[in-house]
Amino acid sequence: MKKILTIQDISCFGKCSLTVALPLLSSMGIETVILPTAVLSTHTLFKGFTCKDLSDQLKPITDHWKQEGITFDAVYTGYLGTEEEIDTVIRIIESFRNENTLVFVDPAMGDNGKLYPAFNEHYAKKNADLCAIADITDPNITEGSFMTGIPYKENYSENYVKEMLLALAEIGTKTPILTGVSLSEGKTGAMGYDTENKAFFNYQNDKVPAAYHGTGDIFSSVLAGAFVLGIDRINALKIAADYTAHTIAETLKNPKNPWYGVDFEATIPALVDSLKKIRGVTGADLLPPASGSAYLQV
Ligand code: PXL
């Protein structure tokens, strides 16, 4: 079974960061080790949230793992707290990394042209240092704009997206992927750039007309999981984008329509099904032997 370490906060209520990454990655058949950077009562879009910073725990926890000889196939980082914490996370990645470790960075810090309440422009630039050591990063256009200095645009051309991807590659990421990219009316998806082959790649699906908090974390968790499982980049984008769109559509059917997050729990069986189909088609890695068992072996 593949083993991933994910480093982000726990927002106890609110369906984001670790409370979505852990169940999604586990359901994809990946052993998921968590390193919580802070415990918040809710995510930061609620008023009056509490926050207990756990930065001073990161080194003792990871030192213990080192003593135990624990290793990871991948490290996936999400929402972090401070510039110092980013430095600590960079050191942790460097100490656990070998030539086969996949480093996936979601520089979660903003949306719709603005940074989240806890962050400023210095923090955004610091996140670029973390992206510099990543194999894959998946900022949205807001985050890409804050890291590259390219002004944020709501309406843009394909060339604008390509220019931002090249600027992100310049920062150092091997494969930057911009999320929430709409290349035509009624469509949305993601576009990436593979620096090794100097090739752009892109996946678009139908836009579901609603925006929910935490969907970026859902997309990133599934995308990171798909890459860890060895699924090729187009199918990895497809599985993450389709699952996110399907989950938003299902949430819209909920008469209580929770504003603070999506009903991803209801769509996990669909994720597991699409994963089985894609792995069947691509032959990606490790399908279980045809023993008649329903166990998903990784
Ligand atoms: O979904 C990103 C996220 C994660 N964690 C916390 C947040 C947010 C977005 O606002 O506040 C604490």
Side-chain angles (χ1 to χ4, degrees), residues 20-21 24-25 27-28 30 76 104 216-229 231 236-241 243-244 271 274-275:
V20 306
L24 287 174
L25 289 162
S27 73
M28 294 174 82
I30 299 166
Y76 155 40
F104 185 107
D217 297 350
I218 286 174
F219 179 87
S220 291
S221 301
V222 175
L223 188 63
F227 277 118
V228 173
L229 293 175
I231 292 171
L237 284 189
K238 176 175 166 50
I239 194 169
Y243 174 68
T244 308
L271 172 64
S274 60
L275 193 59

Side-chain angles (χ1 to χ4, degrees), residues 53-110:
D53 182 46
L54 298 177
S55 302
D56 65 351
Q57 292 302 302
L58 304 186
K59 189 167 170 351
I61 291 173
T62 48
D63 283 351
H64 181 212
W65 290 343
K66 278 269 159 201
Q67 277 164 23
E68 291 292 325
I70 295 168
T71 57
F72 306 105
D73 299 296
V75 181
Y76 155 40
T77 68
Y79 185 105
L80 301 171
T82 60
E83 290 174 54
E84 299 72 55
E85 193 161 75
I86 291 180
D87 278 330
T88 308
V89 168
I90 290 173
R91 281 197 293 273
I92 291 171
I93 291 172
E94 276 163 356
S95 79
F96 280 93
R97 184 175 217 171
N98 64 38
E99 69 279 9
N100 298 318
T101 318
L102 179 84
V103 175
F104 185 107
V105 171
D106 175 3
M109 60 182 160

